Amino acid sequence: MILSIKNLNIGFYDNQVYKPAIRNLSFELAAGEVLGVVGESGCGKSITNYALMGLLPSNALVTADRLELCGKKLLELNKKQWRDFRGNDVAMIFQDPMNALNPTITIEKQLVEMLSKMQKGKSGKEYRQMALKLLDKVGIPAAHLRLKNYPYELSGGMAQRVVIAMALACKPSILIADEPTTALDVTIQAQILNLLDQIRIDSNMAVIIVSHDIGIISEYADRIQVMYSGEVVESGTARQVTTNPYHPYTKGLLESLPGQGDKVPKSDLNTIPGVVIPIERQVEGCRYVERCPNAQDICHTTPPELIQISNNLSDLSRCHLRG
Amino acid sequence: MSDFSSQTQPAHFSGNQKFLTKVKLLFFRNNPIANFALVIILLLLAIGYIVPIILNLDPFGTSSELLLSPGTMSSNEVYYLLGTDDLGRDLFSRLVIGARSSLNIGFFIVLVSAFVGTSMGLVAGVYGGAIDAFIMRLTDVIMSLPSILLAIVIVAVLGGGLVNAVIAVIIVSMPRYIRVVRSVAMSEMKKQYVVAAQSFGIKRFRILWSEILPNCRAPVIVQSTLGFSEAVLDIAALGFLGLGARPPAADWGAMLADARTYIESAPYLVVLPGVCILITVLCFNIVGDALRDRFDPKLGDSK
């Protein structure tokens, strides 16, 4: 396994008060595998990624029984080791490509800076050639012209391809894609996801793809992890989660997709009532209870465990109700 | 049809047109006052650096003709455009050489204070913590006193003379650069492209140098333009108080101080260097404000 996490807990100190954000998160990821992480805004998807990158603020507290990536115990890394680890072993692409690129520097300079960090001791001309190859690899036409461009001169899709090229310059073992298509047009979304998939196949790289759109995730992920308010509520193969969902929250997400909830398309989409509870709030029972259509008395008093729901060991759900 | 197709042909610029385009970029759209000020600054630069080469000016040579009015001919048929001072020195020569001296000193002060101030501001904004606290308390102390008063104190400690006056003005100029750059650095550090750079394992110093510094360009240029006028004014003020350039140096401030005695009998001795200081400071301030407007994202590219 390239990534192994057991009982990861993340919290933040706010005026000496500890506020938990992620609770008992566990999963594993193999080389070449795609893990899709789904959930509403504020459920802790990005916090987990930032923890894997060592980019959480200084007031964060990260604990885990096991947190290993590419054979390195992440909780034991010092600042310098983190810096060497980032980029070399793990890289990240962000949801808004326009903000992920420096507006005052040309694409060439930004790519060359990445390459010179990763592969020292080459000439400027060699770095430029490598940058051109990377842009070709991510499907940017007339790459030699694009190198001279500033980010504002590129379209959203082009800019995201440049960000992917920068991530590829690192040759990472794991690529974390934090909502890589949110800021893009629907037509461009598929292109970017296909590109990521192609790169994964070519380099046998593991990918964690984060999104709030379970429809998109289901097409590209091998396994899906559904998060709600800092907890994994359902986890399993993409097929299991999307065709036979167990947790009411997963069902709600799938039913809210256009044309999914009912056989006959209708004018009103299904919605999940209420809002996600704040990530730091402590709750007696299930964290989804206030929004759950099937809530029982036990749901209000006892927090559910993550239990196996099929013959497959990785198919898990956090619900008291058996189906 | 042919008309339409000819209109849609790509424009091929001649060398002259390209030059004119570059010249246009130098000026401000919809701001005639700033453009006028910019022309005056360019004239000042020409007067300060080109005129002394063309004309054989002697700011120190004395003549027997003392306090000659502007535009009069001396007895030995030498024409004094702006007259002579109390020692018979050509006032035009002294003002032109004074312009060059003021511009040189202004540029030097801006260069050093911008470099040191920007460096300290970047370090404070990027590294934070104790370094930031120390640098900011230092700037608070400097900024809590009026700049000219602090400059006088520094010159009093170091001793008079132009070099010490320049050091004093550099010290009092730095805090503005530190503050401007620190605020930019702190806001940029929160931007996603900096987080992206960190996620690729780029060192903090390299982030400071190649990610954040380019974004400080606009505010530093604006502050430098405004700082230039302040530097000229402060050096002139110190010269006026006898703490700057030593006689017989052609310094506008010192010329003002020397001319005080003749304010009634030869008012041009006071008016001319005073007007030079006024025009220089005013024009640089106007251009500085125009640059601030141009670089302000809230105003777009209207200026």
Side-chain angles (χ1 to χ4, degrees):
Chain A
M1 286 293 166
I2 222 165
L3 172 65
S4 181
I5 297 174
K6 191 178 180 190
N7 291 334
L8 172 68
N9 287 277
I10 304 168
F12 297 89
Y13 280 99
D14 184 17
N15 295 329
Q16 271 73 54
V17 179
Y18 179 74
K19 293 183 175 179
I22 300 293
R23 297 168 182 82
N24 301 322
L25 180 71
S26 301
F27 67 89
E28 289 186 327
L29 191 63
E33 191 179 9
V34 180
L35 172 69
V37 182
V38 188
E40 287 170 84
S41 297
C43 71
K45 307 185 299 285
S46 294
I47 291 172
T48 310
N49 294 337
Y50 277 72
L52 294 178
M53 299 291 296
L55 290 173
L56 289 173
S58 54
N59 66 328
L61 178 69
V62 181
T63 59
D65 293 344
R66 184 167 67 249
L67 182 55
E68 286 182 24
L69 209 161
C70 303
K72 295 183 177 78
K73 291 181 168 65
L74 300 191
L75 295 178
E76 294 171 14
L77 299 183
N78 61 32
K79 268 187 180 178
K80 191 195 179 301
Q81 288 168 326
W82 262 120
R83 222 177 22 245
D84 293 338
F85 168 78
R86 287 197 287 260
N88 289 321
D89 294 308
V90 60
M92 191 169 181
I93 58 174
F94 297 85
Q95 62 174 288
D96 188 350
M98 285 303 182
N99 288 335
L101 295 168
N102 190 330
T104 61
I105 305 173
T106 61
I107 301 306
E108 180 176 0
K109 266 190 179 174
Q110 295 189 56
L111 273 167
V112 165
E113 187 182 0
M114 282 304 316
L115 290 162
S116 61
K117 189 258 173 187
M118 296 303 155
Q119 301 173 43
K120 292 179 172 70
K122 287 186 164 65
S123 69
K125 206 173 184 181
E126 285 175 301
Y127 284 132
R128 193 174 187 278
Q129 283 305 313
M130 289 162 78
L132 275 169
K133 274 184 189 164
L134 278 171
L135 292 186
D136 282 333
K137 193 174 181 180
V138 295
I140 290 180
H144 61 289
L145 297 174
R146 290 278 169 250
L147 281 177
K148 296 289 174 217
N149 287 153
Y150 285 87
Y152 71 87
E153 295 174 301
L154 304 177
S155 65
M158 283 285 190
Q160 191 62 290
R161 286 170 191 271
V162 171
V163 174
I164 293 167
M166 287 171 78
L168 289 182
C170 309
K171 295 183 178 166
S173 307
I174 292 188
L175 180 67
I176 298 171
D178 191 354
E179 307 222 19
T181 59
T182 306
L184 306 176
D185 294 344
V186 178
T187 50
I188 308 296
Q189 285 181 4
Q191 291 176 22
I192 294 297
L193 289 167
N194 286 333
L195 172 65
L196 284 173
D197 208 39
Q198 191 56 52
I199 289 162
R200 173 189 68 87
I201 293 161
D202 292 346
S203 55
N204 197 34
M205 177 172 63
V207 177
I208 298 174
I209 184 163
V210 174
S211 181
H212 55 259
D213 188 336
I214 197 166
I216 284 176
I217 290 280
S218 62
E219 287 181 48
Y220 292 92
D222 300 313
R223 286 191 298 120
I224 293 177
Q225 194 166 271
V226 182
M227 288 188 77
Y228 183 81
S229 189
E231 291 180 333
V232 172
V233 292
E234 185 149 7
S235 173
T237 60
R239 186 181 176 82
Q240 163 68 32
V241 171
T242 54
T243 59
N244 190 19
Y246 192 91
H247 197 280
Y249 178 60
T250 314
K251 287 176 184 171
L253 285 178
L254 287 163
E255 282 170 5
S256 66
L257 292 173
Q260 298 286 319
D262 294 293
K263 294 284 177 270
V264 182
K266 54 184 175 19
S267 57
D268 291 342
L269 293 173
N270 290 322
T271 58
I272 301 171
V275 290
V276 63
I277 64 165
I279 204 166
E280 72 275 5
R281 195 200 291 174
Q282 300 284 16
V283 179
E284 284 271 303
C286 173
R287 297 185 70 78
Y288 187 62
V289 70
E290 288 173 23
R291 303 174 77 185
C292 184
N294 315 324
Q296 311 280 307
D297 289 345
I298 190 173
C299 303
H300 289 275
T301 55
T302 312
E305 294 292 317
L306 203 57
I307 53 160
Q308 192 179 327
I309 53 169
S310 75
N311 296 332
N312 190 334
L313 290 171
S314 68
D315 292 342
L316 308 166
S317 180
R318 192 183 294 275
C319 188
H320 289 299
L321 310 172
R322 304 284 175 261
Chain B
M1 186 71 191
S2 60
D3 282 354
F4 178 77
S5 60
S6 66
Q7 282 174 350
T8 56
Q9 291 301 310
H12 295 289
F13 292 115
S14 66
N16 285 347
Q17 282 172 309
K18 279 181 183 172
F19 174 73
L20 283 171
T21 309
K22 282 180 180 174
V23 168
K24 272 183 194 171
L25 282 174
L26 186 67
F27 291 94
F28 303 95
R29 277 197 290 160
N30 312 331
N31 198 338
I33 296 168
N35 287 332
F36 181 69
L38 193 58
V39 169
I40 300 291
I41 288 170
L42 294 171
L43 270 172
L44 266 170
L45 290 167
I47 290 165
Y49 294 106
I50 298 165
V51 170
I53 298 165
I54 299 166
L55 304 175
N56 190 20
L57 300 177
D58 182 11
F60 308 116
T62 57
S63 71
S64 55
E65 308 279 349
L66 310 182
L67 301 173
L68 264 185
S69 300
T72 52
M73 191 87 71
S74 68
S75 54
N76 56 353
E77 295 197 351
V78 176
Y79 181 72
Y80 291 100
L81 181 66
L82 298 177
T84 61
D85 65 6
D86 57 327
L87 297 175
R89 294 173 297 192
D90 177 23
L91 202 59
F92 176 73
S93 297
R94 288 182 69 72
L95 285 173
V96 168
I97 299 299
R100 188 171 67 182
S101 162
S102 291
L103 292 169
N104 282 343
I105 291 163
F107 284 131
F108 181 75
I109 288 168
V110 162
L111 215 66
V112 175
S113 55
F115 175 76
V116 178
T118 300
S119 304
M120 288 172 79
L122 279 171
V123 168
V126 172
Y127 288 90
I131 302 171
D132 179 33
F134 173 74
I135 291 171
M136 291 323 290
R137 292 307 71 79
L138 195 68
T139 61
D140 289 343
V141 168
I142 295 170
M143 290 186 88
S144 65
L145 295 162
S147 60
I148 194 67
L149 189 67
L150 186 60
I152 290 165
V153 170
I154 294 165
V155 172
V157 171
L158 298 175
L162 188 59
V163 174
N164 290 342
V166 167
I167 291 167
V169 176
I170 286 169
I171 291 167
V172 300
S173 302
M174 277 182 345
R176 284 185 184 83
Y177 294 96
I178 294 171
R179 288 208 147 175
V180 163
V181 172
R182 176 183 176 265
S183 69
V184 171
M186 285 179 82
S187 72
E188 293 301 313
M189 279 300 282
K190 294 185 182 82
K191 299 267 176 80
Q192 205 173 52
Y193 71 84
V194 173
V195 178
Q198 287 173 329
S199 78
F200 294 132
I202 292 170
K203 287 180 183 173
R204 210 180 319 184
F205 178 77
R206 195 141 172 205
I207 287 170
L208 177 155
W209 181 256
S210 55
E211 303 289 334
I212 292 168
L213 184 61
N215 288 284
C216 298
R217 210 178 315 163
V220 168
I221 289 168
V222 172
Q223 186 53 51
S224 298
T225 316
L226 298 168
F228 187 94
S229 66
E230 251 173 56
V232 169
L233 198 58
D234 285 352
I235 285 294
L238 290 171
F240 180 80
L241 296 169
L243 299 169
R246 295 261 191 258
D251 174 81
W252 288 344
M255 286 164 75
L256 263 178
D258 294 341
R260 275 178 304 178
T261 327
Y262 307 98
I263 197 159
E264 285 180 12
S265 57
Y268 64 90
L269 283 180
V270 177
V271 170
L272 291 171
V275 165
C276 286
I277 294 166
L278 172 75
I279 288 171
T280 306
V281 170
L282 188 63
C283 289
F284 272 98
N285 274 335
I286 289 167
V287 169
D289 285 335
L291 280 171
R292 183 183 284 158
D293 292 346
R294 176 182 269 191
F295 288 129
D296 190 340
K298 289 188 280 294
L299 296 172
D301 195 26
S302 60
K303 293 277 182 276

